[in-house]
Amino acid sequence: MSLDASLRARAAKVIPGGMYGHLNAALHGDRYPQFFVRAEGARQWDADGREYVDLMCSWGPMIVGHRNPRVEAAAAAQQGEGDCLNGPGPVMVELAELLVDLIPSADWAMFSKNGTDATTQALMVARAATGRTKALVAHGAYHGADPWCTPGMSGVTPNQRADTIEFTYNDLAGAEAAAAQADGDVAAILVTPFKHDSFEDQEPADAEFARGCGRWPTVSARPWSSTTCAPGGGWTCAARGSRSACAPT
């Protein structure tokens, strides 16, 4: 048994479902690693020592790479002052001022610890500004882990389901139909061009890619993936050993 598989088995005993949210690698197949142990620059290593090019930038925040010296130095300096205080430090105001100054369309800035919080805050602002309640969300796309984000998940109330209407991404007629269903009560439309629930709704090329490489397709991932390829699907391993990639046959 691989170390990753062993960790998954241990996690299943002490964490509900073994893992939660978009970090649950079970959604991506057995070949997709769940646990990582270190990173440097553009690369990451999983618990079994396999090396990957982090094309996902750790789901977004690592835009200058892992363990960037300037970022590490700034973080260490702040930690020397205190890492978790009873209120934010002056750096929050400084960063907000910088963002507003750099982004012409930004009049103010808010900070969140994850995408779920950011999307939920955006929806709250949209509802407050419009006085409307309904949110249109792309079916199968990941919008967050809160109950309103995924109408079909357990623990969601009927009212939360009623306020969230799904449509098919990149289908204008479907989006218009969802808006019509809301009957003028649309506060926000959320889209993520990333399928999360099944291969069947993918375009044929994407479905073959996903089956062949054992991961979910994204625009940045085609036609290469840093995961290990599974046989078939029109894709094959372009390299072997600790660095493997998928390429079309």
Side-chain angles (χ1 to χ4, degrees):
M1 178 184 292
S2 68
L3 181 55
D4 189 88
S6 175
L7 287 167
R8 292 194 201 198
R10 290 166 56 189
K13 297 178 181 179
V14 293
I15 300 172
M19 196 56 64
Y20 42 85
H22 66 286
L23 297 178
N24 189 348
L27 298 170
H28 307 298
D30 293 339
R31 293 179 180 271
Y32 196 98
Q34 175 77 75
F35 296 94
F36 292 82
V37 295
R38 67 185 180 94
E40 186 77 34
R43 300 185 180 277
Q44 288 192 56
W45 286 261
D46 68 16
D48 289 292
R50 291 175 296 190
E51 181 180 351
Y52 303 83
V53 175
D54 185 11
L55 300 178
M56 298 175 65
C57 298
S58 285
W59 299 89
M62 293 302 178
I63 58 176
V64 294
H66 295 271
R67 300 183 65 194
N68 180 280
R70 292 181 62 183
V71 174
E72 291 294 306
Q78 179 59 43
Q79 188 175 33
E81 300 293 334
D83 55 3
C84 186
L85 309 176
N86 288 330
V91 290
M92 184 188 74
V93 180
E94 295 167 3
L95 179 57
E97 290 173 338
L98 178 62
L99 290 172
V100 170
D101 183 55
L102 291 176
I103 304 173
S105 61
D107 294 322
W108 41 263
M110 297 175 67
F111 302 102
S112 305
K113 68 180 183 296
N114 55 49
T116 297
D117 287 355
T119 309
T120 301
Q121 286 176 348
L123 180 57
M124 291 174 62
V125 170
R127 283 173 169 162
T130 63
R132 303 168 186 170
T133 59
K134 302 292 191 297
L136 308 187
V137 299
H139 171 72
Y142 182 79
H143 304 296
D146 281 351
W148 73 264
C149 304
T150 311
M153 72 185 298
S154 301
V156 179
T157 67
N159 285 340
Q160 288 171 320
R161 290 193 176 95
D163 287 338
T164 307
I165 302 173
E166 293 186 309
F167 65 94
T168 300
Y169 176 76
N170 212 26
D171 178 2
L172 180 58
E176 291 175 340
Q181 182 180 339
D183 193 24
D185 193 28
V186 177
I189 301 176
L190 294 89
V191 294
T192 305
F194 177 85
K195 292 298 291 180
H196 196 273
D197 55 349
S198 68
F199 293 139
E200 284 69 26
D201 292 337
Q202 300 290 342
E203 296 177 2
D206 285 351
E208 289 186 2
F209 172 84
R211 292 190 185 97
C213 291
R215 64 162 292 159
W216 299 90
T218 64
V219 173
S220 62
R222 294 193 303 253
W224 299 95
S225 167
S226 59
T227 58
T228 303
C229 299
W235 297 80
T236 187
C237 286
R240 297 187 181 278
S242 61
R243 298 183 185 180
S244 56
C246 298
T249 54

